[in-house]
Amino acid sequence: MIAPEIYNVNEKGYYGQFGGAFIPEMLYPNVEELRVSYLSIMAEPSFKEEFEALLKDYVGRPTPLFLAKRLSEKYNTTIYLKREDLCHTGAHKVNNTIGQILMAKRLGKHKIVAETGAGQHGVATATVCALMGLECIVYMGEIDIQRQAPNVARMKMLGAKVVPATSGSKTLKDATNEAMRHWINNPVDTHYIIGSVVGPHPYPDMVARFQSVISEEIKWQLKEKTGKTNPDYVIACVGGGSNAAGAFYHFLHDEETKLIAAEAAGHGISSGLSAATTFLGKPGVLHGSRSILMQTEDGQVVEPHSISAGLDYPGIGPMHAHLFESKRATFFDVTDDEAIESAMELSLLEGIIPALESSHALAVLPKLGAKPDEVVVINLSGRGDKDLETYQKYIK
Amino acid sequence: MNRITALFLEKKTQNLNIYFTAGFPKINDTKLVLKSLQEGGADLVEIGMPYSDPVADGETIQQANQVALDNGMTVKLLFEQLAGIREEGITVPILLMGYVNPVLQFGVEAFCQKCQEVGVDGLILPDMPASVYEEEYKAIFDKYGILNIFLITPQTSESRIRHIDEISHGFIYMVSSASTTGAKSGISDVQEEYFERVNAMNLTNPRLIGFGISDNETFKKASSHSAGAIIGSAFIKMLSTSTDLDGDTKAFVKMVKGQ
């Protein structure tokens, strides 16, 4: 008998062959401190109580599970939207930053550094730093600073210092490099709040646990509405993959629920302008873990492209690499144009303007082939206010 | 015997290790810089394999990496450039420094085999964890006689320093301060205390001190607490403005050594 597949992290920090902690010695003490203590800190009753109270009263959880009737009609199936877009700050990112700021305080850190792509994680980090009175520095690619101006203004208004990352492709990958360098240079008093399920162990697991509230709520909400806890499909977009990790988490071992990941294909996977990692990448090491990444034959990281800053990343979290390799999750490639079309469709059919990132998850619907008696849950990870400048160009 | 091991048996102090990026400033400068460093009197040479995402490096070395990549530098090409150097009179111990991903893509065994073939003595891969080296790659490194050099920092605990000393051969790379390369200059009293604290541990392996070393003063100071020092960013800065690579490289080594 073959042992059942394990999709959670193992005691060495791996998901199958992916994960680990590939970090320079300079970061070892910080990452080791976190590794040794994160599970026990998260299990402390006082931590749980504070985390849950903030999720409820500050973030506004539980977020609704909304039956999208007109969308369901169009695709001839039953579609629920998990409304993470209604979280305080406009996306799921804040679930993680609340958890990590409480973690940082318990580790005695009083400065925070973070990276951001679309700016959602930067805003969510700046927000919790303001709430807790901690100093906040956010690294953001120079190109992303231009295309996500409203979020830059938000971070500044919340008291964060926004530092442009000017190396490489000047996007999320480079912002992550700069944040790691900042941490190397400031190891004693600073905690690095990584925004996705990437980075060295224990970050992917810790972030997935903080985001797992999404699937925890989906289960009981769906039970209330339909009488069963498990849908036929859960769909989420994957850049690094934090919203997908949260939406999948409590379904990982419920194999009757199909897990669907939407990757940003940019202009198309064969165009040379894409961020669809599982289609174009192979195993390698980036930002502290072994995963799948887009790279040249020589092992240089390839600069990705997506219309969505939050998905414009050449790797995926190690958990997703394992879900891909083990075929537990099915990956779809979604182009810029398909994502825009789905954003317009949801706006017109349901009165909800989704974030460009979440639009990639919606764009799986025409390709999914869900049957009329099946239930589909789409994680609507963020709202589209920050993307209006992009959307304006497409409004007919 | 491995050239690094032989060097430290022979010469216990004032060893100067100079880092430069392969394929920088021009793609075919690798061998020229290497030769000039040996002739100038460098005791070890560390050749950087350029990488797109060098997280442990500061701006100077990042830029050199980018220039080298734009020049078309690759791992494969580096081995081609280094082929035959030992027959051509290069005797200085050579280390390759870089990040783990290009080595993984080349194939760890193929990489070590190439190192042995062209006469590379050791590797510095800052993002390869000691545990992964021990479990997955040590046997391969040993098979081809390649030394893996580990780093310690002011934040490394005593027990971890002892463990690193146990698994190290050649020398230990002692990072002088918590920083990326080229971020800070000079050596403070606090750093000297750290050097002495490690000295007092009576480790098996000699230490070379790197980060913040740039001239004769800092070289002498670092050498007084260790077997020598490593210079990277200051040399790269010099190379990037040099119009006479051979002459300037030799002059740089002599300046640092105070000759």
Side-chain angles (χ1 to χ4, degrees):
Chain A
M1 192 187 125
I2 302 163
E5 189 79 47
I6 300 299
Y7 301 108
N8 297 103
V9 77
N10 69 21
E11 70 287 350
K12 284 186 163 175
Y14 281 84
Y15 302 83
Q17 62 154 316
F18 302 111
F22 291 78
I23 45 165
E25 191 60 32
M26 294 77 113
L27 290 179
Y28 182 85
N30 280 345
V31 172
E32 184 63 7
E33 180 187 32
L34 198 59
R35 186 188 71 81
V36 168
S37 42
Y38 81 110
L39 288 176
S40 58
I41 290 177
M42 285 176 76
E44 281 169 18
S46 69
F47 183 94
K48 284 171 109 163
E49 201 179 302
E50 203 176 347
F51 181 56
E52 279 161 20
L54 283 169
L55 287 187
K56 178 169 178 280
D57 300 327
Y58 189 69
V59 175
R61 303 204 72 92
T63 59
L65 187 70
F66 173 70
L67 175 62
K69 284 187 188 149
R70 297 187 67 203
L71 196 67
S72 299
E73 215 167 276
K74 163 133 197 206
Y75 290 102
N76 196 22
T77 186
T78 304
I79 301 168
Y80 285 92
L81 303 175
K82 179 58 175 164
R83 299 290 312 273
E84 292 299 297
D85 61 316
L86 294 177
C87 287
H88 177 45
T89 72
H92 71 289
K93 292 287 187 187
V94 72
N95 302 325
N96 169 46
T97 60
I98 295 261
Q100 283 206 50
I101 200 110
L102 297 177
M103 182 70 66
K105 282 183 76 176
R106 276 160 178 80
L107 294 171
K109 310 283 182 180
H110 48 268
K111 289 182 184 172
I112 297 296
V113 64
E115 85 294 336
T116 197
Q120 289 303 107
H121 174 59
V123 167
T125 304
T127 297
V128 296
C129 286
L131 179 71
M132 297 292 170
L134 300 192
E135 199 180 311
C136 180
I137 296 178
V138 179
Y139 286 89
M140 185 169 187
E142 207 171 35
I143 289 178
D144 293 338
I145 286 180
Q146 288 159 15
R147 60 179 167 177
Q148 303 285 344
N151 274 345
V152 177
R154 270 183 205 115
M155 285 185 270
K156 288 182 176 166
M157 192 163 170
L158 291 160
K161 187 176 163 199
V162 181
V163 184
T166 56
S167 59
S169 56
K170 303 177 178 65
T171 58
L172 179 55
K173 163 180 87 84
D174 310 284
T176 308
N177 289 341
E178 291 305 329
M180 288 179 102
R181 288 186 186 115
H182 181 95
W183 204 23
I184 287 174
N185 283 288
N186 301 275
V188 179
D189 57 356
T190 301
H191 174 70
Y192 178 18
I193 300 192
I194 296 183
S196 193
V197 284
V198 301
H201 176 68
Y203 275 101
D205 185 49
M206 179 173 70
V207 175
R209 284 168 188 263
F210 287 139
Q211 292 293 359
S212 69
V213 64
I214 299 172
S215 47
E216 193 185 310
E217 288 173 6
I218 292 173
K219 283 213 164 197
W220 64 256
Q221 288 171 322
L222 201 65
K223 177 100 203 266
E224 263 181 21
K225 289 176 198 298
T226 67
K228 59 176 194 173
T229 56
N230 291 351
D232 297 285
Y233 300 91
V234 176
I235 309 178
C237 64
V238 173
S242 72
N243 92 78
F248 294 169
Y249 197 88
H250 291 285
F251 298 108
L252 287 173
H253 298 97
D254 297 340
E255 307 243 0
E256 74 265 28
T257 299
K258 296 179 193 74
L259 307 178
I260 309 290
E263 286 196 300
H267 293 201
I269 47 174
S270 320
S271 68
L273 291 170
S274 181
T277 306
T278 61
F279 294 87
L280 299 167
K282 52 185 179 171
V285 170
L286 177 67
H287 294 149
S289 60
R290 187 186 285 160
S291 185
I292 298 174
L293 68 122
M294 291 166 53
Q295 55 187 316
T296 65
E297 203 186 318
D298 190 44
Q300 309 295 336
V301 182
V302 168
E303 294 175 4
H305 167 83
S306 167
I307 195 170
S308 140
L311 303 182
D312 201 351
Y313 185 71
I316 50 170
M319 172 180 141
H320 295 299
H322 181 53
L323 293 178
F324 172 74
E325 197 183 57
S326 63
K327 299 193 165 67
R328 174 67 185 95
T330 307
F331 285 67
F332 283 81
D333 56 313
V334 173
T335 63
D336 291 350
D337 290 346
E338 290 168 329
I340 293 281
E341 205 171 304
S342 293
M344 298 301 162
E345 181 180 85
L346 188 73
S347 304
L348 292 173
L349 288 181
E350 301 290 349
I352 298 169
I353 299 175
L356 267 169
E357 290 74 20
S358 322
S359 305
H360 285 73
L362 292 161
V364 170
L365 282 173
K367 313 172 181 186
L368 187 65
K371 298 185 188 83
D373 60 341
E374 289 185 319
V375 173
V376 181
V377 173
I378 298 176
N379 196 33
L380 199 67
S381 56
R383 58 178 177 246
D385 309 32
K386 68 182 177 60
D387 298 311
L388 277 185
E389 205 182 308
T390 305
Y391 287 148
Q392 267 172 355
K393 295 174 201 151
Y394 295 88
I395 297 168
K396 284 163 192 153
Chain B
M1 185 189 289
N2 185 289
R3 292 176 197 86
I4 299 168
T5 316
L7 172 73
F8 287 104
L9 280 176
E10 182 96 345
K11 192 172 179 227
K12 310 279 184 202
T13 179
Q14 307 276 322
N15 288 294
L16 175 61
N17 178 4
I18 299 225
Y19 164 94
F20 74 99
T21 307
F24 178 84
K26 296 280 185 309
I27 192 155
N28 287 320
D29 288 338
T30 312
K31 222 154 91 176
L32 177 109
V33 176
L34 170 62
K35 196 160 165 277
S36 307
L37 281 170
Q38 169 168 306
E39 287 169 5
D43 300 288
L44 301 98
V45 174
E46 191 182 320
I47 304 176
M49 300 178 285
Y51 183 49
S52 54
D53 296 80
V55 289
D57 285 300
E59 221 177 321
T60 304
I61 294 180
Q62 280 174 49
Q63 276 169 6
N65 274 236
Q66 197 52 54
V67 169
L69 290 174
D70 292 346
N71 287 343
M73 199 61 211
T74 63
V75 173
K76 192 163 162 268
L77 182 59
L78 175 59
F79 284 126
E80 284 168 26
Q81 291 178 344
L82 295 180
I85 50 166
R86 295 304 182 189
E87 290 73 28
E88 293 164 25
I90 297 289
T91 53
V92 67
I94 295 175
L95 296 135
L96 297 187
M97 182 271 164
Y99 291 81
V100 74
N101 195 53
V103 177
L104 294 179
Q105 300 313 317
F106 197 91
V108 176
E109 175 134 24
F111 189 90
C112 289
Q113 194 176 358
K114 272 285 176 195
C115 284
Q116 187 190 46
E117 218 175 280
V118 302
V120 166
D121 306 288
L123 293 180
I124 305 175
L125 301 169
D127 59 344
M128 180 167 72
S131 56
V132 171
Y133 168 75
E134 288 176 84
E135 282 168 33
E136 297 181 40
Y137 302 128
K138 186 180 181 305
I140 301 172
F141 277 56
D142 289 349
K143 180 175 165 193
Y144 295 98
I146 307 300
L147 306 186
N148 188 53
I149 307 301
F150 293 97
L151 279 59
I152 60 170
T153 82
Q155 276 75 41
T156 309
S157 68
E158 182 171 339
S159 63
R160 187 162 167 86
I161 292 176
R162 294 224 177 268
H163 178 69
I164 285 172
D165 189 41
E166 263 169 44
I167 60 172
S168 289
H169 295 283
F171 68 95
I172 292 173
Y173 191 137
M174 191 157 157
V175 176
S176 69
S177 65
S179 71
T180 45
T181 55
K184 292 167 189 170
S185 61
I187 291 172
S188 68
D189 294 350
V190 179
Q191 286 169 291
E192 290 194 82
E193 276 169 37
Y194 149 62
F195 302 153
E196 281 312 308
R197 170 167 60 85
V198 176
N199 267 343
M201 289 175 67
N202 289 317
L203 302 178
T204 316
N205 287 279
R207 275 86 55 211
L208 292 183
I209 295 175
F211 292 41
I213 317 299
S214 59
D215 52 17
N216 179 249
E217 192 200 331
T218 42
F219 175 66
K220 274 196 307 202
K221 212 172 199 179
S223 292
S224 71
H225 299 285
S226 67
I230 304 168
I231 295 185
S233 299
F235 183 65
I236 294 292
K237 268 186 200 151
M238 188 285 288
L239 283 185
S240 61
T241 56
S242 170
T243 50
D244 171 17
L245 289 184
D246 179 53
D248 289 345
T249 296
K250 288 172 183 162
F252 185 91
V253 176
K254 290 192 189 329
M255 176 276 288
V256 172
K257 287 197 147 185
Q259 290 162 352

